[in-house]
Amino acid sequence: QVQLVESGGGLVQAGGSLRLSCAASGRTLSSLAVGWFRQVPGKEREFVAVISWSGNPTYYADSVKGRFTISRDNAKNTVDLQMNSLKPEDTAVYYCAADLALSLVNYNDMGRYEFWGQGTQVTVSS
């Protein structure tokens, strides 16, 4: 089964940047769609960004569009999330998830993703 591990979280001041990485074991990510989600304690987990198995297309939540960029590096077997112009409201635990779908229909539905990482904490101070 696919195992996912997130890294790159930490503490950053508002306006700063962080790069999160999702690494896989068990199989290559090159044939999987990979999404990023985030969750604040007491709130529902929300969609952030997704990238298809081929790298195109990509989709973003309106709240992060223009600030975050999702990309994949098949040589490293990783999917990254570059986060710029961070805001305090971006503070959350960030999770990556993957599935075997060949299309991105319902890409923002958590139920379509079969494999999940354990999350990495991102804290943005004001």
Side-chain angles (χ1 to χ4, degrees), residues 1-7 20-34 36 51 53 71-80 96 98:
Q1 197 172 51
V2 177
Q3 296 175 311
L4 304 177
V5 179
E6 303 93 338
S7 63
L20 306 183
S21 182
C22 178
S25 63
R27 68 169 293 170
T28 179
L29 286 177
S30 63
S31 298
L32 301 175
V34 177
W36 284 94
I51 188 168
W53 66 269
S71 62
R72 63 193 316 149
D73 187 334
N74 289 339
K76 297 179 180 179
N77 200 29
T78 62
V79 171
D80 295 340
C96 67

Side-chain angles (χ1 to χ4, degrees), residues 29-94:
L29 286 177
S30 63
S31 298
L32 301 175
V34 177
W36 284 94
F37 294 78
R38 64 187 183 186
Q39 187 169 27
V40 176
K43 294 186 177 181
E44 184 178 355
R45 190 172 300 186
E46 66 176 356
F47 166 78
V48 176
V50 65
I51 188 168
S52 74
W53 66 269
S54 65
N56 293 299
T58 60
Y59 297 101
Y60 298 90
D62 289 341
S63 60
V64 307
K65 193 173 299 181
R67 300 188 297 120
F68 291 10
T69 302
I70 189 171
S71 62
R72 63 193 316 149
D73 187 334
N74 289 339
K76 297 179 180 179
N77 200 29
T78 62
V79 171
D80 295 340
L81 184 69
Q82 178 66 44
M83 305 185 295
N84 298 326
S85 301
L86 283 163
K87 305 174 181 179
E89 50 263 46
D90 294 318
T91 295
V93 176
Y94 283 71

